[in-house]
Amino acid sequence: MVSAVNEGLVAKLHFCSSHFELAADLVLPGEGVSAFFGPSGAGKTTMLRALAGLDYHPNTRVTINGQCWQDASMCLPVHKRSLAYVFQEPSLFTHLNVKQNLEYAMTRAKHKKKKNSFDEVVELLDLDKLLKSHVGQLSGGEAQRVAIARALLSQPELLLMDEPLASLDEHRKAVILRYLEKLVEELKQPLIYVSHSLNEIAQLSDYLVLIHAGRIIRHGPLTEVLSSPELCRLEDHVCTVIDAKIAEHNSVWCMQKIIFPSGEIWLTETEKKVGDAIRVQVNASDVSIALSKAEDSSITNILSAKIHSIDRDNKRAQTLVRLIVGDTILLARVMQHSVDKLGLAVGMRVWAQIKSVAILR
Amino acid sequence: MTINSEDIDAILLTLRLALVVTAILLLIALPLAHWLSRTSSFLKAPINALVALPLVLPPTVLGFYALMLMGPSGPIGYVTETLGLGLLPFTFWGLVLGSCLYSLPFVVQPLQASMASLGQRHTEVAATLGAGPLDRFFSVTVPLVRPGLITAIVLGFAHTLGEFGVVLMIGGNIPGETRVVSVQIYDYVELLDYRRAHVLSAMMLIFSFLLLLGLYTSGRVKSIKLW
């Protein structure tokens, strides 16, 4: 239990203004990516700013890896907290060029021992050609890459990102997301990532905190929270994320088989090799339910499943069915009409037909 | 030669006054503008009003009160006398004090305007990168408000060069001590020596024009922002 208290981030936030009340008890893992997800106005940014100390709230307690940042008797000012913050807009210093922006962070680094070396960070974010550029010449995506590099080079113990992709167009978003993916693989400090895009979160994070109206309504490992009823109530386009391993490669059909506890799925082949880890996403709307295993269907992936729960919403045509495949929850969005026609009920054995699978990482 | 040694004394004195006043005002105005641009204290409005007062007040009124404050029965006079500095009226340092009051808005307001338009984001970023308050101010705020800073320096300097009313009220007309160019011009006109008045006036006009021309052509300043 002692290690559980000392590791990771523990925070207690409670404050209210005239139009908003926030109350949250946070416990986040000491490594990997934790995401804050919720509709806009839910309080995600407010929480992040309170953790960083950018806004002062008296009844706040923040402890990271056993080190206290704020409690009833003390409050470390922002510049003394070992963190780095990537804002929604890149917010580079316009009186400095790219390299000088990075050096600004390096000369004020939080730790003498470097976790992230200059060369590594420049290579990771592909900044080599931009180093001499003036900040005003950069595109939005380039500027955000520099801002991320600058944050890494301040050698923080905790990295905070507040919707770093929100101000970019779709194309640039995809580009930066690829860089973030690389970054996450090599991450040497925990990252809290705020977003209202489930897509980004499914791709990047390991731990998910659901925030709604200033409260934490659920938190836990990503795959678990993604298929939770709490999330399904917040979001229409829900999906299942499966962490699996590549088990087989079929060069005749150009396909690969991935396996996860008590299940397997065939994919179009990827660049990954047999034995590699892979994360895939299955949208609930791409899963249909059949009572018998169709042998005359074009669908490749048909899994044996048991109905775990059915969320009926009488005001809508569609229903969300939670299926269990082995010990993995799979979400299926089907018509209410089909549920009645097939007589679906909790505990029934059915076949889940997966029409398409997206590879996340 | 159309310029005599008295004119040269007056010119040198004026330049010295303007330089000293600008330097002192920068020291006061940087922190003051910084505070005014971000505070939500109830003192903000009254202090803004006080700073702007010299813009609308006749220099004679300002000079009159400065004279009262610095005189033997005024608080500043009391302090300077206790410190053994004597009384400030009719001395160079008396002029400096009066001019600081008089030119304050011309230095504070451009700085305050550019600091306010800069917003808080840059200092927040600097703080998250480990920069303390003083470090943030000098490494981020000051360089980013450079156009405002240049405007403040030029306006403070140019405005002090051209002051007359306050000088006459608290400085009088002591050659080499308080007789600045504007007072010298006034004296020439009183003596009906229009030629000499004209030479000095033209010099002032051209110099001030060149200062402002430099400010606008530097490209950094698009318009002079006074609230």
Side-chain angles (χ1 to χ4, degrees):
Chain A
M1 270 321 282
V2 174
S3 70
V5 174
N6 282 333
E7 289 294 298
L9 180 131
V10 184
K12 212 178 173 67
L13 312 169
H14 187 240
F15 44 87
C16 39
S17 66
S18 51
H19 56 286
F20 189 73
E21 190 190 358
L22 191 143
D25 273 311
L26 262 178
V27 181
L28 299 178
E31 55 176 19
V33 183
S34 304
F36 284 5
F37 174 82
S40 42
K44 307 183 292 284
T45 299
T46 314
M47 277 191 203
L48 205 65
R49 289 180 62 88
L51 290 179
L54 287 169
D55 296 325
Y56 174 73
H57 302 288
N59 296 316
T60 301
R61 258 180 271 163
V62 183
T63 306
I64 171 144
N65 293 334
Q67 194 205 346
C68 181
W69 279 358
Q70 189 176 350
D71 63 15
S73 63
M74 58 87 76
C75 175
L76 226 49
V78 184
H79 65 277
K80 295 228 171 90
R81 300 185 184 201
S82 182
L83 58 84
Y85 199 111
V86 177
F87 292 85
Q88 194 168 323
E89 323 78 44
S91 313
L92 298 177
F93 299 131
T94 48
H95 62 297
L96 303 174
N97 69 17
V98 170
K99 187 154 183 245
Q100 289 165 331
N101 264 280
L102 301 181
E103 283 164 352
Y104 190 96
M106 284 156 74
T107 54
R108 293 165 178 80
K110 319 279 161 87
H111 287 278
K112 292 288 161 277
K113 213 179 114 219
K114 284 185 192 160
K115 294 185 220 173
N116 310 305
S117 85
F118 180 78
D119 292 339
E120 274 171 19
V121 170
V122 166
E123 197 198 312
L124 177 76
L125 291 153
D126 229 345
L127 298 177
D128 207 22
K129 292 197 187 73
L130 301 177
L131 285 178
K132 292 210 174 72
S133 310
H134 197 264
V135 167
Q137 300 165 333
L138 303 178
S139 71
E142 288 169 340
Q144 197 56 287
R145 263 154 59 202
V146 177
I148 294 168
R150 187 173 64 176
L152 288 172
L153 287 173
S154 82
Q155 317 294 348
E157 230 170 288
L158 174 67
L159 198 52
L160 306 168
M161 294 194 187
D162 186 9
E163 310 217 23
L165 307 185
S167 61
L168 304 174
D169 59 46
E170 286 306 316
H171 170 70
R172 295 215 166 91
K173 238 178 228 181
V175 174
I176 302 278
L177 202 52
R178 279 204 294 279
Y179 283 108
L180 284 176
E181 248 175 83
K182 271 205 292 176
L183 171 96
V184 164
E185 276 170 32
E186 295 170 28
L187 205 61
K188 295 182 182 79
Q189 58 278 304
L191 161 64
I192 301 181
Y193 188 94
V194 168
S195 181
H196 62 253
S197 153
L198 265 193
N199 224 351
E200 286 167 29
I201 285 173
Q203 203 145 338
L204 297 173
S205 66
D206 313 300
Y207 196 87
L208 180 52
V209 180
L210 290 187
I211 299 169
H212 183 60
R215 320 254 152 186
I216 293 176
I217 51 173
R218 175 134 192 182
H219 63 103
L222 173 79
T223 47
E224 196 184 299
V225 178
L226 274 183
S227 52
S228 68
E230 288 85 356
L231 179 71
C232 299
R233 255 175 259 134
L234 278 188
E235 179 77 18
D236 275 338
H237 300 284
V238 287
C239 61
T240 308
V241 165
I242 302 171
D243 283 315
K245 221 179 221 159
I246 299 195
E248 208 181 309
H249 187 107
N250 186 318
S251 48
V252 178
W253 292 325
C254 302
M255 287 169 87
Q256 282 177 329
K257 184 166 89 174
I258 63 167
I259 53 167
F260 52 96
S262 59
E264 56 178 63
I265 291 176
W266 281 93
L267 307 173
T268 53
E269 63 184 356
T270 65
E271 285 168 2
K272 292 179 188 266
K273 295 184 184 58
V274 172
D276 285 354
I278 187 167
R279 176 180 282 187
V280 296
Q281 174 184 345
V282 180
N283 288 329
S285 50
D286 288 333
V287 178
S288 60
I289 294 172
L291 294 179
S292 59
K293 187 173 185 180
E295 301 294 344
D296 54 353
S297 158
S298 68
I299 291 177
T300 315
N301 293 306
I302 301 179
L303 307 176
S304 167
K306 200 167 100 176
I307 295 181
H308 179 259
S309 66
I310 300 173
D311 290 354
R312 280 196 94 109
D313 180 349
N314 288 329
K315 290 190 208 85
R316 287 171 162 205
Q318 293 190 319
T319 299
L320 193 73
V321 179
R322 218 170 260 107
L323 303 165
I324 303 191
V325 179
D327 52 11
T328 304
I329 296 259
L330 185 68
L331 300 177
R333 172 125 10 238
V334 296
M335 302 300 277
Q336 190 112 237
H337 168 74
S338 314
V339 173
D340 292 340
K341 194 178 74 183
L342 300 178
L344 299 183
V346 172
M348 254 173 91
R349 292 225 68 98
V350 293
W351 294 93
Q353 303 176 321
I354 301 175
K355 211 172 129 199
S356 81
V357 178
I359 295 150
L360 290 176
R361 70 178 202 218
Chain B
M1 191 60 200
T2 46
I3 294 182
N4 58 26
S5 69
E6 276 185 11
D7 290 349
I8 291 176
D9 281 353
I11 290 169
L12 289 178
L13 180 71
T14 309
L15 287 175
R16 197 168 125 227
L17 178 69
L19 276 176
V20 171
V21 167
T22 310
I24 293 175
L25 278 183
L26 270 185
L27 289 179
I28 300 169
L30 272 171
L32 183 60
H34 182 68
W35 180 76
L36 282 172
S37 69
R38 54 180 50 207
T39 185
S40 47
S41 158
F42 72 98
L43 285 172
K44 181 177 175 164
I47 290 189
N48 261 330
L50 273 178
V51 168
L53 214 47
L55 291 175
V56 293
L57 221 50
T60 42
V61 172
L62 204 67
F64 172 71
Y65 282 111
L67 193 62
M68 301 308 286
L69 288 174
M70 292 189 281
S73 49
I76 298 178
Y78 178 78
V79 172
T80 53
E81 276 207 307
T82 335
L83 291 174
L85 300 171
L87 288 171
L88 290 179
F90 306 106
T91 66
F92 176 73
W93 291 101
L95 279 197
V96 168
L97 205 124
S99 306
C100 281
L101 288 175
Y102 184 50
S103 295
L104 189 66
F106 291 85
V107 182
V108 171
Q109 293 196 348
L111 277 175
Q112 189 182 344
S114 31
M115 283 176 182
S117 67
L118 189 63
Q120 302 257 19
R121 180 46 57 79
H122 288 89
T123 50
E124 284 188 352
V125 172
T128 63
L129 294 174
L134 262 186
D135 185 6
R136 296 201 284 271
F137 184 67
F138 287 108
S139 67
V140 178
T141 308
V142 170
L144 285 174
V145 296
R146 216 170 99 172
L149 191 64
I150 294 172
T151 310
I153 292 173
V154 171
L155 287 186
F157 188 81
H159 190 248
T160 310
L161 282 186
E163 79 172 79
F164 174 70
V166 175
V167 174
L168 211 58
M169 290 297 285
I170 57 183
N173 199 347
I174 305 164
E177 178 77 17
T178 60
R179 189 189 284 168
V180 294
V181 174
S182 55
V183 176
Q184 182 84 331
I185 294 169
Y186 179 73
D187 284 351
Y188 283 139
V189 174
E190 289 273 89
L191 297 169
L192 297 177
D193 190 347
Y194 281 24
R195 198 179 54 86
R196 287 189 182 280
H198 194 166
V199 171
L200 283 182
S201 298
M203 282 172 62
M204 283 282 275
L205 184 80
I206 292 167
F207 187 67
S208 301
F209 175 74
L210 288 178
L211 264 182
L212 292 178
L213 186 68
L215 184 64
Y216 282 106
T217 48
S218 71
R220 296 187 179 278
V221 179
K222 288 182 186 71
S223 68
I224 292 175
K225 270 187 227 159
L226 289 170
W227 288 119

